Amino acid sequence: LDDINDIKYLRLPSSKLGHEIVKEDRIGDDHHGHMHHVDHDDDASLHTHHDPTELRYSVFFNLEDLKVGLTKPIYFPKKKHSSPLLPRQSAASVPFSLKQLPNILKLFSLPQGSPEAKAAEFTLRMCESKTVMGEIRICATSFESMLDFIRSIFGMENIGHGLTLLTTTFYNDSKTFFQNYTVLEVPKEIPTPKMVACHLMEFPYAVYGCHTQMSDRKVYKISLRGEKGDKVVAIAVCHMDTSEWEPNHPSFKALGFGPGMAPVCHFFPDETNLLWLPSTVPV
């Protein structure tokens, strides 16, 4: 990515609109991104009969359990729908604040009280909520704002510096999104001094909640095989210090302990969850 104007041609995963995704394995330096086109299909996970809480909790695991042969049920929704992040100039012309919610709903023709309206309100509340100690966060409404945030965290002053983007990779087109997976190989730890995670938010257009924490974390690549034959190379992050987390965080309910008692690990469940690293980090 040599010029800021190239950004308008990029696509990032979104659950809302569009027909293509991009997986930027490397951006900048001498590395090149790879764009993969996929067909738009229905999200079969919408028709699952499993408890939504069970699905949400399944991405969490204990670090001490991360061994070859570990088998656990995991929900990988494999979202591949996409829409472009707006260019900065376009994003700046669209209101994005809780006090502007009525105007946002009117602009996108969303009925008050509809599921889409409630999701938009929830996203705005999350974006305006306080961060935990040691966390830095932004809700990126454009790709430029996402890059600006990442470079500020990594200490990069110009666009010539390289970035690596990691996402969970799926090697099958199975529609069995919730199944037992087994760890096939010794998980590969990716030592990195800094990282930025970006997660797709529910909103009328693509918005990513990006954040980083100063506390100790570990990044892993984990090879998994599902009971239905699905092969997945999952990205996972382990938070080594959770002492500042809210006691009602879903990870504690899933794992059965409280803040600061043990590391919390979680898989990145689909391609709408992005992990950015400096390109100097070997992956």
Side-chain angles (χ1 to χ4, degrees), residues 1 6-14 19-27 32-38 79-85 143 146 165-168 208 271-274 276:
L1 189 64
D6 293 338
I7 289 172
K8 63 185 179 182
Y9 298 112
L10 296 177
R11 297 290 186 272
L12 286 174
S14 165
H19 303 275
E20 62 182 15
I21 64 170
V22 68
K23 292 181 66 179
E24 290 291 326
D25 298 318
R26 296 274 188 171
I27 295 180
H32 303 282
H34 305 282
M35 181 171 287
H36 303 276
H37 296 269
V38 297
K79 290 181 181 177
K80 291 186 177 182
H81 303 178
S82 66
S83 67
L85 277 160
F143 194 59
M146 181 187 288
L165 173 56
L166 300 179
T167 63
T168 291
Y208 278 80
E271 293 171 334
T272 70
N273 291 271
L274 318 174
W276 295 90

Side-chain angles (χ1 to χ4, degrees), residues 16 57 100 117-118 120 161 176 217 226 230 232 255:
K16 292 294 182 185
Y57 286 3
Q100 290 286 342
K118 292 179 180 178
H161 289 280
T176 306
R217 291 154 300 159
D230 294 32
V232 179
L255 300 176

Side-chain angles (χ1 to χ4, degrees), residues 45 50 87 89 101 105 115 129 135 137 155 159 187 203 207 215 261 272:
S45 65
H50 294 283
Q89 186 174 1
L101 180 61
L105 300 184
S129 65
E135 181 186 32
R137 184 180 66 206
I159 202 164
F203 208 69
V207 173
S215 58
M261 296 177 64
T272 70

Side-chain angles (χ1 to χ4, degrees), residues 65-135:
D65 293 335
L66 188 55
K67 302 173 183 176
V68 175
L70 166 69
T71 298
K72 75 180 301 291
I74 309 171
Y75 177 56
F76 286 123
K78 304 180 184 178
K79 290 181 181 177
K80 291 186 177 182
H81 303 178
S82 66
S83 67
L85 277 160
L86 296 178
R88 191 197 302 271
Q89 186 174 1
S90 298
S93 67
V94 180
F96 189 80
S97 68
L98 192 58
K99 66 180 181 180
Q100 290 286 342
L101 180 61
N103 292 332
I104 295 171
L105 300 184
K106 182 178 180 181
L107 179 64
F108 291 99
S109 301
L110 300 179
Q112 184 76 35
S114 66
E116 294 82 3
K118 292 179 180 178
E121 179 179 358
F122 178 80
T123 290
L124 292 170
R125 289 190 183 279
M126 286 289 293
C127 290
E128 296 181 10
S129 65
K130 292 182 179 180
T131 59
V132 299
M133 184 179 296
E135 181 186 32

